[in-house]
Amino acid sequence: MNICIIGTGYVGLVAAACLAEMGNDVSCIDVNPQIIDRLKAGKVHIFEPGLEPLVTRNTAEGRLTFSTDLAEGMRDALFVFSCVGTPSMPDGSCDLSYVDQVATQIGRIIDDYKIVINKSTVPVGTADRVKGIIAEELKKRGASVEFDVVSNPEFLKEGDAVNDFLKPDRVIVGTDNVRTAKLLETLYAPFARSRDKMIVMGVRSAEMTKYAANCMLATKISFMNEVANICEAVGADVREVRAGIGSDRRIGYHFIYPGVGYGGSCFPKDVRALIHTAKSYGCAPSLVEAVDAVNNRQKGMLAEKIKRYFKEKGGAQGKTVALWGLAFKANTDDMRESAALDTIRSLTDAGMTVKAYDPVAGDNARKILKDNPSVAVMDNQYDPVDGADALAVVTDWNQFRNPDFNRIKNMLNDPVVFDGRNLFSRSFMKEMGFLYISVGRQPVVGVERRL
Ligand SMILES: NC(=O)c1ccc[n+]([C@@H]2O[C@H](COP(=O)([O-])OP(=O)(O)OC[C@H]3O[C@@H](n4cnc5c(N)ncnc54)[C@H](O)[C@@H]3O)[C@@H](O)[C@H]2O)c1
């Protein structure tokens, strides 16, 4: 089948590569010529495990092509996927300017039947909006062309995006057109060989499903962060509490890890957008607002603990913190709304220096943090630790889970570790002689013994 994918970011490029892998001819379009040039040269511009080999293979076999020319990309396509960004506006609403631009461009070009598919996360009513924009452009041209607009939200997660797209839990399709639903079923059939995965519903329900799913997941995270903070106050251990509640099948173990608050390009903006949508329809989204508020507070929590510690030791000014992890979570280079940024800002505002390391987000971080003279992003995991006054762990990369603790202890001025992800065992850190402060657990003071 012939497919055009508009927007070659985390969603668009993964979708394109996976659809090409199933034998489809996929034309990828992006407005950014640098991205297209890099992709044409066989270089993937984002870090996503398993993506580069898929892109390379399918490009070499001629099923995946890249261009900035939408007319060329759409020429033979039946399916036209819109995968452009939908960031937050200052008031929390969803910025639909890229979606609108795509709809306008499609309306100016379309000359035979196409199924236009909104894969971006967009507020309820956007499919109707896109339909209206395309119809308006056709009217301006005096042209009459049949088309459908479908909602097909994407549920992949960065860091495991290829796997998620190849083996989705479900494929949500919002359309009232039975023929269109059948065509999408055929397109997605290779990804649903083990069982039927397509859930066809009304367009508005499909649009709402994506927000409901992300807000539910964000709620679990904020709930657990709140429980963790209460655990700290009352002398309980959130790891034990998690095991205790997760064993209840109605609750389950997934997504109830406390930490530094959720970040990334989806949860924060989607939570804010649902709040905005709800309010614009006269609803009071009290729970979702609380989820957002708890998260904003949680993102500042690690820095507060660090500053409090140094204040008690005579002041934070002039101290240096080694910070491990800049991406909003492991296995991605994405730093959008990462808690590391909140942590760094808070520490450097207090007069501290931050030396940071991330396995893949270093280059992104250097660009984002270039105006902050109190931050240095380093290329080696242990370089920031050398001569620092404390180590803070922000991202849950596997390589941080079992580091060389003797080396860390020898390199730090004082053996102090702040762990925003609960990666280490309290008893082990105590034995190793660290002052260890984590999330939802009591601090431990080391007994000065080495393994
Ligand atoms: N990243 C995720 O994990 C994820 C998961 C599920 C859903 N989503 C949703 O998918 C959408 C895309 O997210 P993303 O993370 O892939 O975004 P992204 O920022 O990584 O990629 C968007 C791409 O669209 C391109 N673009 C913008 N306007 C364009 C135009 N007019 N024509 C062609 N290309 C254009 C940009 O240059 C960019 O390369 C968002 O709505 C997001 O909420 C994201």
Side-chain angles (χ1 to χ4, degrees):
M1 292 171 137
N2 283 312
I3 299 164
C4 174
I5 302 255
I6 308 172
T8 55
Y10 290 89
V11 166
L13 189 59
V14 169
C18 293
L19 286 162
E21 181 72 5
M22 297 302 165
N24 297 292
D25 287 314
V26 185
S27 168
C28 298
I29 304 298
D30 205 287
V31 276
N32 186 334
Q34 282 155 353
I35 292 178
I36 293 301
D37 286 346
R38 285 194 68 167
L39 288 166
K40 276 182 174 167
K43 295 192 185 104
V44 171
H45 61 295
I46 50 175
F47 176 84
E48 191 54 56
L51 181 58
E52 196 153 280
L54 272 190
V55 170
T56 311
R57 183 169 59 246
N58 284 285
T59 306
E61 290 175 10
R63 289 189 297 269
L64 201 53
T65 54
F66 305 99
S67 170
T68 53
D69 183 351
L70 182 59
E72 181 190 315
M74 274 177 56
R75 191 173 304 126
D76 301 319
L78 169 62
F79 303 98
V80 179
F81 283 88
S82 175
C83 304
V84 294
T86 48
S88 263
M89 297 288 271
D91 66 355
S93 64
C94 177
D95 178 357
L96 284 172
S97 55
Y98 303 108
V99 172
D100 289 353
Q101 277 165 24
V102 167
T104 306
Q105 289 169 299
I106 291 173
R108 289 180 185 160
I109 289 166
I110 188 169
D111 58 5
D112 60 359
Y113 177 71
K114 308 279 182 212
I115 301 173
V116 178
I117 302 160
N118 275 343
K119 203 162 226 347
S120 302
T121 304
V122 287
V124 174
T126 303
D128 291 339
R129 178 182 172 124
V130 165
K131 207 179 209 171
I133 293 172
I134 296 173
E136 187 58 36
E137 289 301 320
L138 282 168
K139 201 167 140 195
K140 282 187 202 162
R141 286 163 48 196
S144 169
V145 180
E146 211 193 318
F147 66 95
D148 273 307
V149 179
V150 173
S151 169
N152 172 219
E154 181 50 55
F155 294 92
L156 63 75
K157 53 186 178 303
E158 282 173 29
D160 203 18
V162 170
N163 203 30
D164 283 343
F165 197 94
L166 291 173
K167 294 177 194 149
D169 288 336
R170 76 305 210 183
V171 176
I172 301 288
V173 170
T175 178
D176 299 326
N177 187 326
V178 179
R179 200 182 108 217
T180 308
K182 280 272 163 229
L183 285 166
L184 276 153
E185 205 173 317
T186 309
L187 183 70
Y188 277 112
F191 306 98
R193 280 174 291 170
S194 58
R195 61 180 169 86
D196 193 7
K197 292 184 179 172
M198 185 166 289
I199 306 175
V200 181
M201 58 178 76
V203 177
R204 284 178 175 247
S205 300
E207 290 170 333
M208 185 65 195
T209 297
K210 176 64 192 178
Y211 283 100
N214 274 3
C215 289
M216 178 73 210
L217 294 170
T219 301
K220 288 183 92 171
I221 295 171
S222 276
F223 173 78
M224 214 49 203
N225 283 330
E226 189 144 286
V227 168
N229 296 334
I230 299 170
C231 283
E232 269 177 38
V234 301
D237 182 328
V238 75
R239 272 181 117 165
E240 293 172 356
V241 174
R242 177 185 167 271
I245 63 172
S247 54
D248 183 331
R249 269 175 292 164
R250 294 169 303 174
I251 297 173
Y253 293 105
H254 296 298
F255 252 78
I256 53 169
Y257 290 95
V260 289
Y262 57 77
S265 65
C266 292
F267 290 171
K269 80 169 174 65
D270 293 347
V271 166
R272 290 191 295 264
L274 186 62
I275 292 169
H276 191 274
T277 300
K279 285 184 171 171
S280 70
Y281 281 82
C283 303
S286 318
L287 178 61
V288 191
E289 281 184 307
V291 167
D292 189 41
V294 168
N295 194 59
N296 290 335
R297 197 175 59 206
Q298 195 69 17
K299 285 170 111 177
M301 213 63 104
L302 187 65
E304 285 310 315
K305 285 179 183 169
I306 296 170
K307 288 192 292 189
R308 201 180 311 136
Y309 165 78
F310 281 113
K311 200 172 163 197
E312 283 164 12
K313 296 268 291 178
Q317 185 81 29
K319 299 291 183 194
T320 299
V321 171
L323 188 136
W324 279 0
L326 292 156
F328 82 93
K329 64 172 186 176
N331 298 322
T332 182
D333 60 350
D334 198 343
M335 285 188 61
R336 289 178 279 190
E337 306 213 26
S338 169
L341 294 172
D342 300 72
T343 308
I344 289 170
R345 196 178 311 117
S346 176
L347 296 180
T348 57
D349 282 354
M352 303 178 83
T353 298
V354 175
K355 292 184 186 171
Y357 167 77
D358 188 281
V360 299
D363 287 345
N364 280 346
R366 283 188 192 94
K367 284 181 215 147
I368 295 167
L369 296 164
K370 65 179 187 318
D371 296 329
N372 188 337
S374 305
V375 188
V377 179
M378 306 185 138
D379 290 327
N380 180 285
Q381 183 171 340
Y382 291 93
D383 285 351
V385 184
D386 200 9
D389 297 296
L391 168 65
V393 182
V394 184
T395 312
D396 52 342
W397 283 98
N398 277 343
Q399 70 187 66
F400 299 156
R401 289 177 190 274
N402 253 341
D404 185 338
F405 287 104
N406 278 325
R407 195 172 166 196
I408 293 169
K409 203 172 162 196
N410 287 332
M411 287 175 130
L412 286 173
N413 290 338
D414 279 317
V416 184
V417 174
F418 294 90
D419 181 358
R421 298 284 187 167
N422 287 355
L423 297 190
F424 313 130
S425 134
R426 286 172 70 246
S427 54
F428 179 80
M429 293 304 273
K430 187 173 180 168
E431 274 192 37
M432 286 297 292
F434 286 98
L435 168 62
Y436 177 58
I437 295 172
S438 54
V439 184
R441 303 185 291 173
Q442 306 310 301
V444 293
V445 184
V447 290
E448 287 298 329
R449 215 189 78 200
R450 269 204 197 136
L451 285 189

